[in-house]
Amino acid sequence: PRGKAGPVVPIKEFGETLKSRVLAIEEPVDEAIKAEEKRIADAKAERERIERERVEGIQAKISHFRNVVPAYAARAAADIEPMLERVKASVILFDEYGEFEAEATIARDNAIEQLETLHKAALEREVAAQKLADQQKELEELRAKQKKADDEAQELREQRAKEDRERLKKQQ
């Protein structure tokens, strides 16, 4: 009879040989599968990055329309008008804005409406400021004329008082 280790060793060796042969075939296939999975994952990540950058770019353009009004709130009409014209000249195209075209159109239209309101208010403010400046100038001119008239009247009173004193001296 054989020992217990006798037939086991060849089976174990056969198993190891079979395992190494299977691994020799399987490892390149497994590496190819893993490489393809990585390529697919990298391509997906790249598509997602490109899409994220596209959306961020569009959102930045839309934000520009939304933020332009507060930036010009206290500016002069001459500063507001060129920006108003630039916003009016902005064309919202599907090719550029994609699924955000409607949102961009609404933001642009709101910006135009608000800039027009700001421009009108700035013009009214400037007209009122000019009117006030003109009134102040006119008031200063009137005050200067009044002072001159008061000075002339004072001088005339003093002259008459002097003449009256001299007449009184002559009469005495």
Side-chain angles (χ1 to χ4, degrees):
R2 293 186 183 171
K4 288 187 175 183
V8 175
V9 171
I11 294 174
K12 186 175 181 182
E13 286 175 1
F14 175 74
E16 291 295 325
T17 304
L18 184 60
K19 180 180 174 183
S20 66
R21 286 182 181 169
V22 169
L23 285 177
I25 295 170
E26 188 179 280
E27 280 181 355
V29 171
D30 188 47
E31 287 176 14
I33 290 171
K34 287 179 182 175
E36 181 62 14
E37 288 173 346
K38 183 180 181 331
R39 186 194 65 74
I40 290 170
D42 290 348
K44 180 181 177 190
E46 180 64 10
R47 284 190 309 276
E48 289 172 352
R49 181 192 63 78
I50 290 169
E51 176 63 10
R52 186 175 54 254
E53 288 176 0
R54 181 189 75 84
V55 169
E56 287 171 358
I58 292 169
Q59 290 298 333
K61 291 176 189 177
I62 293 171
S63 290
H64 173 73
F65 289 128
R66 291 185 181 133
N67 296 332
V68 72
V69 174
Y72 280 78
R75 300 244 185 127
D79 295 335
I80 297 170
E81 188 172 8
M83 178 52 71
L84 174 59
E85 294 308 314
R86 280 196 299 275
V87 173
K88 281 182 175 180
S90 298
V91 178
I92 307 295
L93 300 173
F94 182 79
D95 291 347
E96 187 176 350
Y97 287 88
E99 67 274 21
F100 299 99
E101 179 184 22
E103 183 181 349
T105 300
I106 291 168
R108 184 207 52 209
D109 293 348
N110 286 341
I112 290 170
E113 181 181 325
Q114 292 170 356
L115 283 170
E116 286 173 339
T117 301
L118 281 179
H119 186 254
K120 181 180 176 190
L123 285 174
E124 291 171 357
R125 226 180 22 248
E126 291 167 13
V127 166
Q130 184 59 49
K131 187 175 180 180
L132 179 61
D134 292 346
Q135 289 173 344
Q136 287 176 339
K137 183 179 177 187
E138 184 180 339
L139 181 60
E140 288 173 14
E141 289 171 357
L142 288 173
R143 284 183 180 153
K145 286 180 183 178
Q146 184 63 46
K147 182 175 179 351
K148 183 178 178 185
D150 289 347
D151 290 347
E152 288 173 356
Q154 179 64 30
E155 190 178 309
L156 185 60
R157 281 192 299 276
E158 289 173 4
Q159 182 64 33
R160 286 188 180 160
K162 182 179 174 185
E163 289 172 0
D164 287 344
R165 281 191 302 270
E166 287 176 5
R167 256 187 267 132
L168 277 175
K169 275 187 183 180
K170 286 182 184 178
Q171 288 176 358
Q172 290 174 355

